[in-house]
Amino acid sequence: MKTLRFILVTAVTACMTALTGCSEDMPWQLEEKGSGRKPISFTSAHIEAVTRGQVVTEAPTEYKVSCTTYASPGGYATARQGAHFYNLTVGSDGSTGYVWPDVGTYIACYAYYPTGNPALALTSSADDTGFPVYTFTVPDDVRQHVDFMTADVTDQTETADGTIELAFQHRLSAFRFTFRNVTTDTEMKLVSIAMKNMKYTGTFRGTTWTPSAATKSFSLLLNGDTGTDMPYMEHYDVTGTDDIFIMMPQTIAAGTEMLDVVVEIAGVRKHFAYSPDAAFAIEAGHTYAMSINVAERISVENPMAITEWVMDVQHVDYATSSVTLWGIEPQPMDGGQSGGINAWTEDKS
């Protein structure tokens, strides 16, 4: 996966006598003049991070970090998550206002993004041990879907310049859809695309998701309930860069209705539903690109599981993420794997 790295742009924070609310860790908090201790900073790049219906492709400018200290490698498993500092907001300059502990002491840092978003909460406390626990809920509105990332650094000793390099990893999965009318010049509109029976809330710790059993559907409407014209043989990027479905990793059982499409053909609305024949595993950090082609019957061409979150597809212009050529036949994707989905059936309900 393409890592998201941070560049140090930090300034030493001076100890201010007016500062209040100092913790018991004051000897390790603000740098003491002449103490020789380096301030802890995180590397950071200036990025316009986004959270609504978009996949983050660069490092965020603001995130939160907790930091613990311990005496020997692996000690983070039993160390309090906030032993050094807890849920601290870090900005684009990467500074923390805390200094490194004594020589020979190890630290572990746990960072996450986004901050201040109701979809995500840090639910473990400063006194809990090991990796933090996060609770995530997928927003009802696809256009409000958020891209959740974490970066964990363990068994870290003091670096030469005091900085810690973070590599954020995507913890969710993205679905993008393209659409093409191949019905021999029949008048057609695309009304909606929905993902159904999705587990939408759960907890995340380390690298493991524990989703709840509850499920719901997430629908993307085109122009409200009026739909969007689909000219004959033209490709339409349904999700674009702002309307991407960003879902929790999970496995959809065989026979479970997973996708739902409403089209209007010659003024008549048709409702189609798809259920996979085999279990469909949705993995963290993958983008699943599905090209829907409507002919006499509806089909989905090649869901592609991209091994890197950023789509490296020769038919996608990365600068704009606009699909320029997705045909009926499978298209090669770097690091991708193909597996055709077909046999859609019209839902008569």
Side-chain angles (χ1 to χ4, degrees):
M1 171 179 280
K2 181 179 178 181
T3 57
L4 306 177
R5 300 196 180 277
F6 287 44
I7 305 164
L8 174 65
V9 189
T10 186
V12 175
T13 303
C15 186
M16 296 162 41
T17 57
L19 185 69
T20 60
C22 294
S23 69
E24 294 177 359
D25 295 321
M26 184 61 185
W28 287 352
Q29 196 169 2
L30 295 177
E31 184 185 19
E32 299 173 10
K33 186 175 181 180
S35 70
R37 291 188 186 135
K38 299 183 184 73
I40 294 177
S41 296
F42 298 99
T43 56
S44 176
H46 174 68
I47 301 301
E48 293 183 0
V50 294
T51 62
R52 298 173 181 268
Q54 300 184 23
V55 173
V56 177
T57 57
E58 307 275 5
T61 56
E62 183 176 286
Y63 46 94
K64 292 207 172 189
V65 187
S66 296
C67 180
T68 188
T69 60
Y70 46 97
S72 58
Y76 61 88
T78 56
R80 294 189 304 115
Q81 291 169 20
H84 199 14
F85 54 83
Y86 175 74
N87 207 28
L88 180 72
T89 299
V90 176
S92 58
D93 67 355
S95 63
T96 67
Y98 286 79
V99 298
W100 282 85
D102 295 335
V103 175
T105 300
Y106 291 83
I107 70 172
C109 299
Y110 313 112
Y112 70 93
Y113 171 88
T115 64
N117 191 292
L120 176 66
L122 172 62
T123 47
S124 53
S125 72
D127 291 329
D128 289 330
T129 60
F131 288 108
V133 177
Y134 306 95
T135 298
F136 186 83
T137 301
V138 178
D140 291 338
D141 185 351
V142 174
R143 294 178 172 90
Q144 300 296 318
H145 283 190
V146 297
D147 190 0
F148 167 45
M149 299 186 294
T150 66
D152 299 321
V153 177
T154 59
D155 294 343
Q156 179 71 59
T157 55
E158 187 172 353
T159 60
D161 60 1
T163 64
I164 299 172
E165 191 172 320
L166 295 176
F168 279 88
Q169 297 185 49
H170 296 274
R171 300 307 185 183
L172 297 171
S173 310
F175 281 81
R176 299 190 59 183
F177 294 92
T178 57
F179 189 94
R180 187 166 71 159
N181 172 9
V182 291
T183 56
T184 61
D185 207 13
T186 301
E187 179 186 348
M188 179 181 296
K189 288 185 176 182
L190 174 61
V191 179
S192 67
I193 290 180
M195 299 192 68
K196 304 187 72 174
N197 295 304
M198 294 287 118
K199 294 178 179 179
Y200 64 94
T201 187
T203 59
F204 177 82
R205 185 179 192 187
T207 59
T208 303
W209 278 100
T210 305
S212 70
T215 63
K216 65 169 58 172
S217 298
F218 298 89
S219 183
L220 182 64
L221 301 177
L222 285 301
N223 290 333
D225 192 44
T226 61
T228 296
D229 289 332
M230 294 290 115
Y232 174 57
M233 294 302 289
E234 289 190 16
H235 293 82
Y236 177 63
D237 185 355
V238 180
T239 45
T241 57
D242 298 332
D243 300 331
I244 298 170
F245 291 77
I246 304 179
M247 313 301 296
M248 285 179 49
Q250 59 195 277
T251 298
I252 308 301
T256 302
E257 190 170 310
M258 176 181 172
L259 300 177
D260 178 284
V261 174
V262 176
V263 295
E264 188 175 291
I265 302 175
V268 178
R269 292 204 170 181
K270 293 183 177 290
H271 182 190
F272 298 90
Y274 169 75
S275 302
D277 292 332
F280 189 102
I282 301 173
E283 299 182 39
H286 287 196
T287 293
Y288 296 86
M290 294 187 176
S291 177
I292 300 174
N293 299 278
V294 177
E296 295 304 319
R297 298 181 65 189
I298 193 169
S299 66
V300 172
E301 299 280 346
N302 275 346
M304 302 283 190
I306 310 304
T307 56
E308 294 189 15
W309 182 280
V310 178
M311 293 180 64
D312 187 10
V313 186
Q314 67 178 14
H315 302 285
V316 172
D317 177 1
Y318 174 71
T320 62
S321 296
S322 61
V323 176
T324 56
L325 178 60
W326 274 357
I328 297 177
E329 291 74 29
Q331 301 295 345
M333 293 186 175
D334 293 342
Q337 58 187 10
S338 63
I341 289 184
N342 46 38
W344 282 62
T345 57
E346 184 175 354
D347 188 339
K348 301 294 185 180
S349 60

